[in-house]
Amino acid sequence: MERLQKVLAQAGVASRRKSEILIVDGKVKVNGVVVTELGTKVSNSDRVEVEGVQLVKESYVYYLLYKPRGVISTVDDDKGRKTVMDLLPYVDKRIFPVGRLDYDTSGIIILTNDGDFSYLMTHPKFGIKKQYVAKVKGIPQREALKKLERGIDLEDGKTAPAHVKMQTVDKKTSTAIIEITISEGKNRQVRRMFDAIGCPVQKLRRESFAMLTTHGLNAGEARELTTHEVKQLRVLAETGKIG
Ligand code: URA
């Protein structure tokens, strides 16, 4: 069951906000009856009409984008910055990014119009792993890396166990390249975790999202996920294993 305004928005009728106005204005019928209650939930078997026209459910699409630095991962930006949507101008469905990457972070991000799928990929209880490679200032010692692994107390809660691996150390510039794998998506999580051990991130890239990588794509390019990949990701979220 989904809220009526969400169903309208997903079908491409209007934004969630405008869909609410259509409902309140008495323009929407469910199974032949006008519904003006915003909390109304409908299922796939309900017949929804907007101004006399029956809703056709939009088919779902899934894209994998190699986000470059300097692009914001929102649908629009009030400061007029370039968004991930600008990189997929040919998509005619109402897609949105699954989770987010900071303006200055590059790497893999998925975009879709499938809200359930997005929930499966982002809620920490489904444990979808995202691997990052961070260039940090300073050379963290073993104990600091252990802290990252065990969990860091951030102001919005302790981070779940992570997997951390030192890749390279540059003593001359006092920097290190470190791999970190997490299954949560707290705001600026990786940057804040490294801040907490006194090694601020200078450069950050998301290398992988579950079994997906940006392999074969240049920064700024996207491709559609295959049906098999989408199925694999769902199974992974639902069972913890790739089928
Ligand atoms: N953690 C961050 O700090 N930034 C990102 O973009 C993603 C994870």
Side-chain angles (χ1 to χ4, degrees), residues 10-69:
Q10 279 188 344
V13 171
S15 66
R16 193 85 68 93
R17 209 20 122 51
K18 287 193 180 133
S19 297
E20 288 178 356
I21 297 170
L22 288 170
I23 296 169
V24 172
D25 285 351
K27 303 266 172 62
V28 181
K29 279 186 189 170
V30 177
N31 302 324
V33 179
V34 173
V35 167
T36 53
E37 187 73 41
L38 285 181
T40 306
K41 290 199 167 175
V42 291
S43 74
N44 272 341
S45 58
D46 288 314
R47 187 165 47 82
V48 179
E49 282 168 68
V50 181
E51 296 177 318
V53 179
Q54 191 171 340
L55 217 69
V56 182
K57 210 162 182 228
E58 197 172 62
S59 56
Y60 290 136
V61 289
Y62 308 85
Y63 289 88
L64 184 165
L65 169 69
Y66 180 171
K67 180 184 125 26
R69 262 178 280 282

Side-chain angles (χ1 to χ4, degrees), residues 129 131-132 145 148-149 160-165 178-182:
K129 292 191 170 66
Q131 188 187 81
Y132 297 84
L145 297 181
L148 293 175
E149 289 205 316
H163 185 259
V164 180
K165 191 172 157 208
I178 299 165
E179 229 174 74
I180 178 163
T181 307
I182 58 175

Side-chain angles (χ1 to χ4, degrees), residues 34-35 53 89 102 112 117 125 131 143 146 151 181 205 217 219:
V34 173
V35 167
V53 179
D102 300 333
T112 182
F117 175 82
K125 74 178 172 187
Q131 188 187 81
E143 191 42 41
K146 282 252 147 52
T181 307
R205 185 184 132 80
L217 296 175

Side-chain angles (χ1 to χ4, degrees), residues 7 16 35 76 79 83 94 102 106 109-110 150 164 176 179 186 190 195 202 228:
V7 171
R16 193 85 68 93
V35 167
D76 38 41
K79 293 190 192 130
T83 76
R94 298 168 55 86
D102 300 333
S106 64
I109 188 160
I110 295 174
R150 283 194 295 258
V164 180
E179 229 174 74
K186 293 181 194 295
V190 172
D195 280 343
Q202 292 185 333
H228 184 63

